[in-house]
Amino acid sequence: MNSVLQSLLDVFREPSVIVGLIALLGLLLQRKSASDTVKGTIKAFVGFLVLAAGAGVVSGALTPFGDMFQHAFGVQGVVPNNEAIVGKVLTDYGSQAALIFFFGMVVNVLLARLTTFKFIYMSGHVALYLAAMIAVILIANGFSSWQAVLWGSIAQGLITTLSPAMVQPWMRRVTKNDTVALGHTGNFGIATSGLVGKYLGDPAKSTEDLKIPKGLGFLRDTTVVIASSMGLIYLLVTLVAGPGYVESKLSDGQWYVLWAVMQAGTFAAGVFIILAGVRVVLAEIIPAFKGISEKLVPNARPALDVPIVFTFAPNAVLVGFLASFVGGLIGMGVLVAVGGTIIIPGIVAHFMTGAASGVIGNATGGRRGAILGAMANGLLITFLPLLVLPFLGDVGLQNSTFSDADFGISGLLIGGAVQAGHIAVIGLVICGLIATFAASAIVTRRRAATPETPAQESQPAS
């Protein structure tokens, strides 16, 4: 009997198996054919193994980079990249993260059903990353697995329900309707951009009146941006560390320039592999979740990934990315002056959240709103990751960390509560639930008293 129980425990300690079982459950609930069920379950299982393989590639590229950066500057350099850090996290905490991800989706559907915040978070990849961060913070600070899954799932559901609601007033400005929402872990920074644009910008002067050179179009390809930008970063740090150090300690005699280029390309390849694994996993889980949620939550709005806003202001995408990156460089300069751990601008985060911040900032404050709003986002995703590092246990000692603003805000709240004790975390989650239902009641009463007109819907009220 004990051997059977031990075998079952071994099975459920494998995150790839957990993910396969979640996909199996979703497919069975959809009453898919036996062929589709077997195919989908196996693809989800293998997809997670692909993700883990990509994590190994990224880790292999970042480890020598961390050594080289510390030798060059005498401080630890951390690159905020969700795929890189999540790959490491899921290797150690994958089972708990997968369960928080799944039950967090369930909580999201229930909250959307029971409150006025009818947003279904469909950006499964960043929801998985969020679950991974929550799992790390709770388990690294003394929570058992079942406690982490229970309270982490509720926290995940609260975040994925309220995060789209925070940006929705600005989304109505961009899309001119209220049928779609923004679901991304950069929503806090993106909403901040909307506020900055509103108060500091000039909506009469749009980024879309600018003439952007076609030669910069390659900056819209994520893989190209990662490889080229990391190539520049690797080369710069390599030159500062010195060719002698690199060739004797890291590259095994390979020419230091070629080594730097290869390491940057390897990093980009690892991120590409991780994303491929994530897509395979979510392709089997999200459709089942979407079908179930549509039946349970009438009039639900799907909260989709940031590229949904890119077509509304293509010039703002590039302006926002560049402005956010400049904000990251300014933040890095401040950290260099202060000393200690240095947050190196994470290109993926600045590209995705910076671009969306540019679109939102442009909608509320034109060119100035796009630039200043995206720069504010860039500063947030420089300093917030640094503040969350102490709560990540051994994961915080890696050369990468979580990047987007929602990770920073939720990580600070959960991590701060964990430091105060288990009861504080439980109290935080329960207070979050009470506040959500209270806010829902207030919004419902306000809408009943003053029904929205189409003109009102475009304003950032509610």
Side-chain angles (χ1 to χ4, degrees):
M1 184 64 178
N2 288 336
S3 62
V4 172
L5 290 175
Q6 185 60 47
S7 298
L8 287 174
L9 287 174
D10 289 342
V11 167
F12 282 97
R13 287 193 185 105
E14 284 293 338
S16 55
V17 174
I18 295 291
V19 169
L21 291 174
I22 291 172
L24 173 62
L25 176 62
L27 292 163
L28 291 174
L29 289 173
Q30 289 184 97
R31 299 181 180 179
K32 291 288 188 179
S33 67
S35 175
D36 288 344
T37 300
V38 172
K39 181 177 70 173
T41 302
I42 292 175
K43 285 178 68 176
F45 168 70
V46 173
F48 192 93
L49 295 176
V50 170
L51 187 158
V57 174
V58 169
S59 178
L62 279 179
T63 299
F65 175 79
D67 296 339
M68 180 173 63
F69 193 94
Q70 191 162 8
H71 175 81
F73 300 105
V75 294
Q76 182 183 7
V78 177
V79 180
N81 182 278
N82 294 330
E83 289 75 24
I85 190 65
V86 165
K88 167 63 177 174
V89 170
L90 293 182
T91 302
D92 298 333
Y93 303 95
S95 297
Q96 298 92 335
L99 291 171
I100 291 173
F101 168 65
F102 176 72
F103 289 113
M105 289 195 296
V106 174
V107 174
N108 175 214
V109 172
L110 291 174
L111 289 174
R113 181 71 176 86
L114 298 173
T115 72
T116 192
F117 305 118
K118 299 191 178 301
F119 304 102
I120 304 298
Y121 205 90
M122 300 307 301
S123 298
H125 61 302
V126 289
L128 177 62
Y129 303 162
L130 179 62
M133 185 196 72
I134 292 172
V136 170
I137 292 176
L138 294 180
I139 296 174
N141 290 279
F143 272 67
S144 66
S145 290
W146 76 265
Q147 290 172 326
V149 171
L150 172 60
W151 299 110
S153 298
I154 300 174
Q156 169 105 353
L158 283 167
I159 296 166
T160 53
T161 301
L162 298 177
S163 175
M166 176 174 54
V167 184
Q168 194 60 14
W170 312 127
M171 279 294 290
R172 290 198 290 267
R173 288 275 189 98
V174 171
T175 64
K176 311 301 182 186
N177 60 57
D178 199 22
T179 59
V180 68
L182 193 64
H184 195 269
T185 44
N187 275 4
F188 184 86
I190 295 167
T192 299
S193 179
L195 284 172
V196 170
K198 177 185 177 183
Y199 291 109
L200 300 180
D202 179 6
K205 297 179 179 179
S206 173
T207 57
E208 302 318 289
D209 299 329
L210 298 171
K211 301 297 182 182
I212 302 294
K214 292 183 178 179
L216 295 178
F218 72 92
L219 291 176
R220 294 189 173 99
D221 188 299
T222 308
T223 301
V224 173
V225 168
I226 294 172
S228 56
S229 58
M230 288 302 291
L232 290 174
I233 292 171
Y234 267 92
L235 283 171
L236 174 63
V237 178
T238 297
L239 291 172
V240 176
Y245 171 80
V246 172
E247 293 178 358
S248 63
K249 300 292 186 181
L250 301 175
S251 71
D252 196 24
Q254 187 179 42
W255 183 36
Y256 68 97
V257 174
L258 177 60
W259 178 85
V261 171
M262 292 300 295
Q263 291 298 307
T266 300
F267 178 89
V271 172
F272 185 88
I273 294 169
I274 290 172
L275 288 173
V278 168
R279 290 189 192 102
V280 172
V281 171
L282 297 178
E284 305 305 326
I285 295 176
I286 294 299
F289 172 68
K290 184 175 185 293
I292 296 167
S293 65
E294 286 176 345
K295 295 176 182 177
L296 293 176
V297 188
N299 303 317
R301 303 179 189 91
L304 304 174
D305 201 358
V306 287
I308 65 166
V309 303
F310 289 0
T311 57
F312 291 96
N315 287 349
V317 170
L318 186 55
V319 170
F321 163 52
L322 295 175
S324 181
F325 187 69
V326 169
L329 291 175
I330 293 172
M332 185 178 72
V334 172
L335 294 176
V336 169
V338 172
T341 300
I342 306 300
I343 299 295
I344 301 168
I347 302 301
V348 178
H350 286 289
F351 176 73
M352 300 300 287
T353 67
S357 296
V359 174
I360 297 294
N362 179 64
T364 61
R367 301 173 195 171
R368 195 188 309 153
I371 294 170
L372 296 179
M375 285 184 68
N377 173 75
L379 290 169
L380 282 173
I381 62 176
T382 300
F383 293 113
L384 286 175
L386 181 65
L387 298 177
V388 175
L389 279 177
F391 304 124
L392 299 179
D394 291 341
V395 173
L397 302 177
Q398 305 298 315
N399 295 311
S400 184
T401 190
F402 298 94
S403 60
D404 306 332
D406 285 10
F407 291 118
I409 297 300
S410 56
L412 280 174
L413 288 173
I414 298 171
V418 165
Q419 295 292 305
H422 286 29
I423 298 299
V425 175
I426 297 170
L428 175 67
V429 171
I430 293 174
C431 287
L433 285 171
I434 294 172
T436 299
F437 281 101
S440 174
I442 293 170
V443 171
T444 301
R445 191 180 304 119
R446 182 182 300 171
R447 287 177 178 171
T450 56
E452 289 184 347
T453 64
Q456 287 174 312
E457 288 180 355
S458 66
Q459 299 301 315
S462 84

